[in-house]
Amino acid sequence: MTQQRLSRQKAPRHTDIHHTLTCELAAGLFPVGGRFPSEGELQQRFGVGRHTVREALKRLADQGYIDRRTKSGTIVLATQASERYVQSIGTIENLLNFGVDTELRLRSFGFIRLRDPDLCKLLELPTDERWLRVSGIRVQREIAAPLCYSEYYLPPAFAIDRDVLKHLEGPIFAAVLKQYSLQLDHVDQEIGAIALTTAAGALLHAPAGSPGLTQVRRYFESSGSLIQTALNLYPAGRYYIRSRIERWD
């Protein structure tokens, strides 16, 4: 079911609820320090189940809008999102949230041949092969400051048109799945620490030489073909990953 939703590139219901609530918070419908609607109230209002409401509330809490307290209920902390972005990683569907919560401001689009051996090693892509590269700055929809610099590499067999990006309402990999009627099988991820270069610092409004984080993700469809490699570069303090590691009996 998750893969079918991805192939249709339809945003989950909790994303719509999250968007509605952030707009209402920004409009001052829920004052700072006041009580926020309970899970039960939101379930009744939107006509959805508990899991859907909890996912929407979790994203609001991750963004610093609310504080969910066991005994006193949910309290409003802010009417604007925090500059840091917290991404929960547990399922493929979680990856959709990043593309929905952020906007890609396009800087370049075109086919290239990768000849930088260090970059090829980082991306685990062969040298001197032709790739569609899409690059840009990602910002949170509620915040103008840059969240990260992103580069996306797609093989010619799974290339998308530039016009697709103008109407993109989710991640690029979801647009590829939809265009080619594919199903996502798995995603490999690597994260590393770096010092920001002068050029990267200028793009991200961060000092040159300051700490940064590289995140490389490789997306594979069900037959095992690579459909996209993504490189995201974050300044320190703007991106956090949250995951649950359970006991293995």
Side-chain angles (χ1 to χ4, degrees):
M1 180 64 70
T2 295
Q3 292 174 339
Q4 292 174 350
R5 286 198 296 268
L6 284 170
S7 65
R8 291 196 300 266
Q9 201 179 354
K10 182 178 179 182
R13 184 72 175 104
H14 65 75
T15 297
D16 295 333
I17 296 172
H18 170 267
H19 176 71
T20 298
L21 294 175
T22 56
C23 290
E24 292 178 350
L25 283 159
L29 270 63
F30 308 108
V32 174
R35 175 184 170 276
F36 197 69
S38 67
E39 286 184 10
E41 291 169 335
L42 292 174
Q43 283 181 248
Q44 184 174 9
R45 174 186 171 185
F46 292 105
V48 296
R50 178 178 296 179
H51 174 77
T52 300
V53 167
R54 285 184 174 177
E55 187 64 26
L57 291 174
K58 182 176 180 299
R59 292 176 66 188
L60 289 175
D62 286 345
Q63 292 178 296
Y65 283 107
I66 60 174
D67 181 20
R68 305 183 67 190
R69 301 172 183 176
T70 303
K71 295 183 179 180
S72 55
T74 303
I75 305 299
V76 179
L77 297 181
T79 58
Q80 298 293 329
S82 168
E83 287 193 3
R84 76 173 192 167
Y85 183 88
V86 180
Q87 185 174 24
S88 297
I89 300 295
T91 66
I92 288 176
E93 188 177 70
N94 292 151
L95 300 179
L96 280 172
N97 294 340
F98 185 75
V100 174
D101 293 341
T102 65
E103 175 187 349
L104 179 65
R105 295 181 177 173
L106 191 65
R107 291 180 58 85
S108 70
F109 180 97
F111 284 93
I112 66 163
R113 289 189 181 275
L114 282 176
R115 293 190 170 93
D116 182 339
D118 292 332
L119 180 60
C120 290
K121 182 178 180 180
L122 176 65
L123 301 177
E124 293 189 4
L125 295 178
T127 58
D128 206 33
E129 287 196 4
R130 193 165 176 259
W131 300 88
L132 173 62
R133 182 179 66 182
V134 179
S135 72
I137 297 294
R138 279 206 173 270
V139 298
Q140 295 187 65
R141 296 192 183 278
E142 301 90 352
I143 298 174
L147 174 63
C148 67
Y149 170 72
S150 298
E151 291 184 352
Y152 303 91
Y153 295 87
L154 289 75
F158 301 117
I160 58 174
D161 295 330
R162 188 184 184 117
D163 288 343
V164 172
L165 298 177
K166 296 180 181 179
H167 308 287
L168 192 65
E169 296 182 352
I172 292 177
F173 78 85
V176 175
L177 295 174
K178 178 180 180 181
Q179 180 171 331
Y180 293 96
S181 301
L182 301 172
Q183 291 185 343
L184 188 65
D185 183 77
H186 68 278
V187 181
D188 292 338
Q189 176 174 259
E190 293 182 5
I191 294 174
I194 61 164
L196 296 180
T197 64
T198 300
L203 285 173
L204 296 169
H205 303 177
S210 60
L213 179 148
T214 59
Q215 177 193 62
V216 177
R217 285 179 178 163
R218 304 174 189 88
Y219 298 77
F220 295 86
E221 53 91 30
S222 55
S223 69
S225 296
L226 175 70
I227 63 169
Q228 175 189 286
T229 295
L231 169 62
N232 295 318
L233 176 60
Y234 299 89
R238 297 190 198 172
Y239 179 77
Y240 294 79
I241 290 180
R242 177 174 295 164
S243 59
R244 173 178 292 182
I245 302 173
E246 298 183 346
R247 185 179 61 196
W248 181 26
D249 293 327

